[in-house]
């Protein structure tokens, strides 16, 4: 079923989304990938505050290509989420409610999602030009020195994503592969 | 002895970087068309439709096909009767990558040291493979490689007794483990034989062969066909969201090897299997 969802994601919406739902996201999300996650992790180890308040927010695992003049952003598709698995459970426990990426997650991440009522969406990997059209504005809000890996605040309109893991831990990758597997 | 000005090499490489990141070769476009026609999963078909639309937007609006514009892998076939003037060939190639990635608004994805991890800021250095060949030509092939799929690539040092069944299992294991992470539908490059590093290089070169073309060696062609069929029974599907099209091509290259060994390398590429070729 296709759904339109406002971002930041409300707790109610997070709990209403089911594995396999095709969803269009509109509103504010943040980007962070490997290097930004490592820095946030190190900040937490030192007892420092995170550069953004992640409570109730969604992180898009994405590092864009540079924007051409007059455009908000360059190509902007998802990166592989599993590289953030080391860091995700702690962020989920701090209130992160949504993640957008591609690829499998560990059981530790799923457990943290179940514990906190969070959702993992997949955007189509390798569709960066198409997805960039759904990004209205982009602003670097932290770790500017990381270039493409800086934390960005994005305004998106009808960003097409699929619920891959819902708040119950059900995983579309596992379910759908079973459905189409031939022996 | 023919002379080639290094500036021409730099200009050419720069153009190739921009071209490869905005336009796929016709064989890859055709492979995506065929995939969309053959896919039976509705969600899979929708994903393939998005990938085709993505290609259209990339070309018409000059937005890179994928934000991961890759690490620049360059194969340089250098005629032994060629002399490069005005600098070294390696410098000319890296300067071309620097220029192309900067002027073409391509992402800078390279860190200068694998553990210190500071971005070099211009996507250099390239990974360059040189071959010395007869004649006075210079053939450059650029294959920008994204790391979603590169990370899922594998090498297996099999025992000779494991034979062709061992090879098949190795490839199927790599593809299955890659699953949705490698942005399927994939192109699978396989290198069999040689040494540890030769097998890996063969598997990378195998990705350059146009999708839909097969090996000239009859048993290798059969192996490619069987592997493609079996990979597409895995159920992984487009985007890993289930379906019958997990790979669009399996390309295998072989090389003589040692009496004690059977190296098998599997280099996985996503559907954005980019390359650009120029002869100077």
């Amino acid at each position: 079923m296709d759904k339109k969802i406002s971002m930041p994601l409300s707790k109610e919406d997070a709990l209403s989304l089911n594995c396999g739902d095709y969803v269009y996201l509109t509103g504010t999300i943040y980007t962070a990938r490997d290097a930004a996650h490592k820095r946030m992790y190190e900040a937490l180890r030192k007892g420092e505050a995170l550069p953004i308040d992640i409570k109730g927010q969604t992180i898009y695992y994405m590092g864009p290509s540079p924007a051409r003049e007059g455009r908000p952003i360059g190509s902007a598709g998802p990166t592989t989420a599993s590289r953030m698995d080391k860091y995700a459970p702690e962020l989920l426990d701090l209130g992160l409610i949504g993640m957008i990426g591609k690829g499998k997650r560990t059981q530790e991440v799923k457990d943290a999602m179940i514990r906190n009522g969070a959702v993992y969406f997949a955007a189509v990997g390798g569709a960066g030009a198409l997805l960039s059209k759904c990004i209205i504005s982009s602003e670097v809000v932290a770790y500017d020195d990381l270039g493409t890996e800086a934390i960005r605040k994005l305004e998106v309109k009808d960003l097409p994503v699929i619920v891959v893991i819902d708040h119950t831990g059900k995983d579309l990758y596992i379910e759908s592969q079973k459905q189409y597997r031939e022996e | 002895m023919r002379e080639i000005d290094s500036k021409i090499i730099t200009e050419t490489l720069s153009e190739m970087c921009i071209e490869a990141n905005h336009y796929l070769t016709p064989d890859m476009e055709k492979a995506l068309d065929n995939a969309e026609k053959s896919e039976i999963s509705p969600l899979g078909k929708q994903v393939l439709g998005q990938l085709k639309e993505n290609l259209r937007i990339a070309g018409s609006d000059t937005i890179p096909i994928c934000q991961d514009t890759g690490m620049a892998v360059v194969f340089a076939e250098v005629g032994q009767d060629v002399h490069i003037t005005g600098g070294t060939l390696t410098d000319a190639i890296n300067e071309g990558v620097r220029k192309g990635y900067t002027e073409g608004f391509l992402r800078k994805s390279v860190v200068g040291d694998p553990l210190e991890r500071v971005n070099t800021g211009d996507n250099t250095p390239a990974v360059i493979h040189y071959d010395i060949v007869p004649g006075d030509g210079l053939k450059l092939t650029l294959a920008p490689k994204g790391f979603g799929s590169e990370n899922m690539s594998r090498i297996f040092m099999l025992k000779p007794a494991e034979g062709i069944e061992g090879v098949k299992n190795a490839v199927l294991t790599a593809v299955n483990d890659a699953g949705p992470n490698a942005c399927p539908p994939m192109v699978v490059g396989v290198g069999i034989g040689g040494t540890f590093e030769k097998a890996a290089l063969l598997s990378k070169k195998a990705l350059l062969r146009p999708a839909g073309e097969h090996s000239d060696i009859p048993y290798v062609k059969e192996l490619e066909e069987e592997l493609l069929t079996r990979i597409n029974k895995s159920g992984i599907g487009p985007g890993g969201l289930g379906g019958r099209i997990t790979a669009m091509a399996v390309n295998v290259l072989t090389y003589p090897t040692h009496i004690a060994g059977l190296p098998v390398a599997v280099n996985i590429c996503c559907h954005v299997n980019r390359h650009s070729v120029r002869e100077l």
Side-chain angles (χ1 to χ4, degrees):
Chain A
M1 192 173 81
D2 289 8
K3 292 183 180 174
K4 285 185 181 273
I5 296 282
S6 301
M7 305 303 278
L9 191 60
S10 69
K11 279 189 171 173
E12 295 71 36
D13 281 345
L15 296 178
S16 77
L17 290 170
N18 297 311
C19 171
D21 285 348
Y22 201 93
V23 184
Y24 294 92
L25 306 179
T26 298
T28 305
I29 59 174
Y30 290 89
T31 70
R33 50 170 293 154
D34 308 56
H37 274 82
K38 182 165 185 278
R39 263 197 207 174
M40 287 195 280
Y41 178 81
E42 285 164 356
L44 291 170
R45 295 287 78 69
K46 285 187 248 168
E48 295 167 3
L50 294 179
I52 53 166
D53 182 5
I54 59 161
K55 207 165 170 48
Q57 298 298 341
T58 293
I59 292 180
Y60 183 14
Y61 300 137
M62 190 275 285
S65 66
R68 284 184 180 268
E69 206 173 319
R71 295 185 190 166
I73 204 157
S75 195
T79 196
T80 310
S82 59
R83 293 195 315 275
M84 270 50 79
D85 283 357
K86 176 183 173 187
Y87 312 112
E90 188 172 15
L91 297 181
L92 289 162
D93 287 337
L94 289 170
L96 183 73
I97 196 167
M99 298 163 287
I100 308 169
K102 57 143 171 130
K104 301 174 220 180
R105 309 307 302 263
T106 56
Q107 192 56 47
E108 287 71 28
V109 174
K110 291 180 188 177
D111 290 343
M113 289 175 62
I114 297 167
R115 197 157 65 226
N116 294 290
V119 185
Y120 170 53
F121 304 97
V124 173
L130 178 96
L131 292 166
S132 78
K133 294 286 182 184
C134 307
I135 298 169
I136 300 162
S137 70
S138 164
E139 177 197 355
V140 173
V141 292
Y143 307 151
D144 195 12
D145 62 298
L146 293 180
T148 185
E149 295 205 70
I151 296 181
R152 287 173 171 79
K153 184 180 182 180
L154 303 183
E155 294 300 324
V156 298
K157 187 167 189 313
D158 291 331
L159 184 77
V161 294
I162 296 150
V163 177
V164 167
I165 305 173
D166 61 22
H167 73 98
T168 68
K170 197 174 169 195
D171 187 331
L172 181 64
Y173 290 136
I174 295 171
E175 304 293 323
S176 57
Q177 188 176 355
K178 268 190 221 153
Q179 191 186 337
Y180 287 98
R181 193 176 185 87
E182 295 174 279
E183 290 309 330
Chain B
M1 181 72 77
R2 180 181 162 218
E3 293 194 340
I4 299 179
D5 187 345
S6 64
K7 284 193 201 69
I8 293 169
I9 295 164
T10 293
E11 276 307 318
T12 305
L13 230 300
S14 167
E15 286 170 18
M16 290 166 76
C17 292
I18 297 170
E19 177 189 282
N21 275 295
H22 291 88
Y23 305 94
L24 287 188
T25 45
D27 60 298
M28 285 305 303
E29 293 208 30
K30 192 173 160 215
L32 265 181
D33 280 343
N34 291 340
E36 196 193 17
K37 281 181 203 137
S38 313
E39 182 54 66
I40 58 159
S41 145
L43 188 51
K45 232 180 172 50
Q46 189 173 353
V47 167
L48 293 165
Q50 284 190 346
L51 296 181
K52 283 176 64 185
E53 176 65 4
N54 184 64
L55 280 186
R56 193 192 62 74
I57 294 172
S60 67
D61 293 10
T62 326
I63 303 171
I65 301 164
C66 178
Q67 75 290 338
D68 185 353
T69 51
M71 189 163 191
V73 177
V74 178
F75 294 92
E77 289 174 44
V78 188
Q80 64 182 15
D81 299 325
V82 169
H83 177 232
I84 311 296
T85 60
T88 72
L89 179 52
T90 300
D91 287 348
I93 289 172
N94 278 318
E95 190 54 35
V97 168
R98 186 174 291 121
K99 189 172 183 318
Y101 275 74
T102 306
E103 293 176 5
F105 292 85
L106 304 177
R107 196 177 79 178
K108 288 67 177 181
S109 310
V110 174
V111 293
D113 179 279
L115 290 174
E116 291 169 356
R117 305 200 74 82
V118 178
N119 198 300
T120 61
D122 57 13
N123 220 51
T124 65
V127 173
I128 310 172
H129 303 290
Y130 292 108
D131 267 326
I132 307 298
V133 298
D136 62 0
L138 172 61
K139 182 177 173 187
L140 296 170
T141 302
L142 168 78
K145 189 65 170 72
F147 260 57
S149 55
E150 192 74 353
N151 279 337
M152 305 317 291
S153 302
R154 301 271 294 273
I155 189 148
F156 302 81
M157 300 304 284
L158 301 182
K159 297 176 182 70
E162 292 177 82
I164 198 159
E165 288 308 314
V167 172
K168 291 174 194 171
N169 284 337
V171 175
L172 294 171
T173 298
V175 169
N176 235 327
D177 290 352
N181 294 28
C183 291
M186 327 164 180
V187 176
V188 183
V190 182
I192 308 173
T195 48
F196 183 80
E197 86 286 3
K198 181 70 181 181
L201 185 55
L202 287 174
S203 70
K204 177 79 64 193
K205 278 190 177 169
L207 291 173
L208 301 174
R209 191 203 298 155
E213 281 183 21
H214 284 287
S215 169
D216 296 333
I217 306 166
Y219 94 84
V220 177
K221 177 176 186 281
E222 272 175 42
L223 178 64
E224 290 172 340
E225 288 168 341
E226 180 185 336
L227 284 171
L228 183 61
T229 303
R230 289 179 66 181
I231 287 169
N232 286 336
K233 286 184 176 176
S234 68
I236 295 166
L241 299 167
R244 296 277 162 80
I245 308 295
T246 300
M248 296 182 286
V250 178
N251 294 347
V252 179
L253 289 176
T254 59
Y255 194 81
T257 190
H258 189 277
I259 49 173
L262 177 52
V264 180
V266 185
N267 196 188
I268 294 179
C269 193
C270 60
H271 50 87
V272 192
N273 184 22
R274 296 165 284 209
H275 28 86
S276 171
V277 186
R278 300 278 178 93
E279 290 188 46
L280 295 176

